[in-house]
Amino acid sequence: MYKSLFFLSLYVFLALWALTNVLPNQFIRFKILNRFRGIVHFLSGPRSSVVTVFLLCFALSAGISYYHNPVPSVPDEFSYLLASDTFSEGRLTNPTHPFWKHFESFHIFQRPTYASKYPPGQGLFLAIGQVLTGHPIVGVWLSVSLACAAVCWMLRAWVPPQWAFMGGLLAVLHPLSIFWGQNYWGGAVAILGGALLFGALRRLMQQPRTGTAFILGMGLFLLAISRPFEGFLTAICAAVLLVIWMVRQTRFPRMVLLKSVLLPLGVASLMIVGALATYNYHLTESAFRLPYQVHEETYSPTPLFVWGTPRTDLAPYNPHLKKLHYGWSLDIYQRQQDASGYWNEVSEKTTRIIRQMIAFPLGILLLMLPWIVKDRWGRIAVIIVLLISLINIFCATFFLAHYLAPIFSLIFFILIQGVRHLRAAHWRKQSQGPVFVMGLWLLFVTLSFSRIWLQSSNPETTPRHALALQRSELIKALEKRPQKDLIFVKYSPEHDPHFEWVYNRADIDNAEVVWAHILTNKENQKLIEHFADHQIWWLDADAKQLKLRPVKGLPPNQKPETLSNTSSAS
């Protein structure tokens, strides 16, 4: 993978270099690029650039969703949607249902309360969309658009305005921004937090202001409620930079720094700690126990770091859920317990970073790293990105691209610096640099819109999405009926645990459609009696043709074996 990416980038570099040697560079630079530069300059104002990036991203995300129906298909998405549903009803969590064993599912815990295991950041944005429009996906568009706008705002403190605007456009068209704009999970909230953090950090060093310090505090808060671990590492890096600057600088009096920086940040930090403690207490009955901890201690034997020891003291729970936790999840950990498997996983994680975060053909810009690190802030950005990336690569059991979302804004800064150095490099002809950069930008934009077209024109790209679409359409059809429904789900031994059917609303008893696992006959019968006003169905999740089958009868005095016999029918 490394070799293919390297040679592909090298071929593109050589092709663009060859073109700049035969194209009329002077004509392109002064007749075409100057007009484009005028548009960029017009849109690069302090407000216009940020607003333009926000509107472009929002319109792009909404447009793709119009053609590509974004339905939840990954277990993480359903967990975030539970948080959204809970928050939109004005609650932090939900009481444990008396028949909670029927409703257990991935990334959700049922005791001491019924809630998502994840930090509340993504769920809060989904709840904004749900409350304002009835559609959580609008909250996704909002979070991604704010993240890209914040990247533009952050870059204005790091690079000249025109390049900051180009960095914002780069963020809008980045494949991960497009992808995260169509899913109920992702890294947009953490990108927003990281961009506010580093944008405010540079501004504080230029001119300490109380308002700027509170913006930095808002960035810290967003990191804490989206990616706590990586956000904490990012915050430590920012704190070290701020302390070193405060010790070394002689421009501002100590009292100014105390009033404009330390005091506001202290207040913001207390508010963050208090908010998180309150949230933890409501969900876990302990201010110091994270919801994530409760879930892992209940369901997952897999350590979060490669040096950990698998848990062996977990209480018995639904065998269907064990397929993921004791299968796929534990397998990833066990593969990293010998040298060969460990380095294979390190290689795979590294490849994922390069392929997803440094999207093709942007890898060409990394050729400029020797010049980027000559600048102090370029060197700092590279060090922070490498430090947090390497900690995840070498230490964490699992890794996905959104884990590094807190430092995405720094990655965009590094890429923009690469563009600037490439443009100003010592070319044989003076106009070759700008023309080369224009060719690279056109290639990136073309590939980005090609991805958008493919995603929009072929929405059912995976079997998982097709199943998710069927589940969504089934729920819509049932919600049109006057009677509420309870559906027991049957799984075959070969069922893929990555697609789960049993996910419910925050208020299970008042939901139009309730999904449930099949347990013992006695437990099934009690659940049916609890939902006596519901139409009772069962669904074979692995049948070639998905079809709801009614569980007929089953009054309280009927033999409980009826449900298990009906459920095994084909």
Side-chain angles (χ1 to χ4, degrees), residues 333-344:
Y333 164 80
Q334 290 173 339
R335 285 203 302 265
Q336 300 178 71
Q337 296 311 296
D338 62 78
S340 175
Y342 175 77
W343 288 110
N344 284 337

Side-chain angles (χ1 to χ4, degrees), residues 1-138:
M1 187 64 184
Y2 293 119
K3 291 182 179 179
S4 60
L5 282 173
F6 172 77
F7 283 112
L8 187 58
S9 299
L10 180 62
Y11 294 150
V12 170
F13 178 86
L14 293 175
L16 288 174
W17 177 80
L19 283 174
T20 59
N21 278 286
V22 298
L23 290 174
N25 295 304
Q26 293 284 348
F27 174 81
I28 293 174
R29 181 181 181 185
F30 293 105
K31 297 296 183 179
I32 299 177
L33 289 184
N34 278 354
R35 294 181 181 180
F36 178 72
R37 190 180 298 112
I39 296 173
V40 171
H41 180 77
F42 175 76
L43 294 173
S44 296
R47 295 181 181 176
S48 59
S49 59
V50 175
V51 172
T52 300
V53 168
F54 175 86
L55 293 177
L56 284 175
C57 187
F58 195 89
L60 182 63
S61 298
I64 297 174
S65 295
Y66 179 80
Y67 293 99
H68 171 90
N69 185 17
V71 293
S73 60
V74 179
D76 308 64
E77 294 181 279
F78 289 102
S79 181
Y80 284 121
L81 285 169
L82 171 62
S84 170
D85 206 26
T86 303
F87 300 151
S88 66
E89 294 185 6
R91 298 190 303 272
L92 291 178
T93 188
N94 309 283
T96 298
H97 196 277
F99 299 98
W100 60 270
K101 288 185 178 180
H102 285 277
F103 309 126
E104 289 182 291
S105 199
F106 300 113
H107 307 316
I108 289 169
F109 58 90
Q110 300 285 342
R111 295 187 299 172
T113 61
Y114 167 43
S116 166
K117 78 172 187 179
Y118 289 116
Q122 182 78 359
L124 284 172
F125 274 93
L126 296 179
I128 292 172
Q130 187 169 340
V131 169
L132 294 180
T133 68
H135 301 287
I137 192 64
V138 177

Side-chain angles (χ1 to χ4, degrees), residues 48 52 78 104 108 139 180 218 315 340 367 451 453 510 547:
S48 59
T52 300
F78 289 102
E104 289 182 291
I108 289 169
W180 289 339
M218 176 58 70
S340 175
L367 295 172
R451 297 185 188 101
W453 180 81
N510 292 314
K547 183 179 180 181

Side-chain angles (χ1 to χ4, degrees), residues 32 61 74 89 126 142 186 215 229-230 243 256 259 270 286 302 348 357 387 453 470 472 524 532:
I32 299 177
S61 298
V74 179
E89 294 185 6
L126 296 179
L142 178 64
I215 293 175
F229 174 64
E230 295 83 4
V243 169
V256 171
K259 292 181 179 180
L270 288 175
S286 170
T302 308
E348 185 176 329
M357 298 175 63
L387 176 65
W453 180 81
Q470 291 183 61
S472 176
N524 296 335

Side-chain angles (χ1 to χ4, degrees), residues 64-281:
I64 297 174
S65 295
Y66 179 80
Y67 293 99
H68 171 90
N69 185 17
V71 293
S73 60
V74 179
D76 308 64
E77 294 181 279
F78 289 102
S79 181
Y80 284 121
L81 285 169
L82 171 62
S84 170
D85 206 26
T86 303
F87 300 151
S88 66
E89 294 185 6
R91 298 190 303 272
L92 291 178
T93 188
N94 309 283
T96 298
H97 196 277
F99 299 98
W100 60 270
K101 288 185 178 180
H102 285 277
F103 309 126
E104 289 182 291
S105 199
F106 300 113
H107 307 316
I108 289 169
F109 58 90
Q110 300 285 342
R111 295 187 299 172
T113 61
Y114 167 43
S116 166
K117 78 172 187 179
Y118 289 116
Q122 182 78 359
L124 284 172
F125 274 93
L126 296 179
I128 292 172
Q130 187 169 340
V131 169
L132 294 180
T133 68
H135 301 287
I137 192 64
V138 177
V140 174
W141 306 340
L142 178 64
S143 66
V144 174
S145 302
L146 285 173
C148 293
V151 168
C152 180
W153 176 83
M154 170 259 187
L155 288 174
R156 290 186 63 85
W158 291 64
V159 295
Q162 293 89 340
W163 290 108
F165 179 62
M166 295 302 295
L169 297 180
L170 183 67
V172 170
L173 294 174
H174 193 281
L176 285 177
S177 298
I178 296 170
F179 176 72
W180 289 339
Q182 306 306 311
N183 293 273
Y184 296 93
W185 66 323
V189 180
I191 293 177
L192 174 58
L196 293 179
L197 172 66
F198 288 111
L201 179 68
R202 287 294 302 270
R203 285 169 170 83
L204 280 177
M205 294 180 179
Q206 295 163 6
Q207 181 63 56
R209 289 190 176 95
T210 301
T212 306
F214 276 114
I215 293 175
L216 192 150
M218 176 58 70
L220 292 174
F221 176 67
L222 291 171
L223 290 176
I225 63 172
S226 56
R227 298 298 314 171
F229 174 64
E230 295 83 4
F232 176 74
L233 296 177
T234 304
I236 290 296
C237 293
V240 170
L241 292 175
L242 186 61
V243 169
I244 292 175
W245 171 78
M246 292 179 66
V247 171
R248 291 182 176 179
Q249 72 85 32
T250 56
R251 180 182 172 190
F252 304 104
R254 302 298 180 191
M255 189 57 66
V256 171
L257 298 181
L258 177 63
K259 292 181 179 180
S260 301
V261 180
L262 295 180
L263 187 59
L265 287 180
V267 172
S269 299
L270 288 175
M271 293 173 66
I272 292 170
V273 172
L276 292 178
T278 301
Y279 183 74
N280 292 341
Y281 180 79

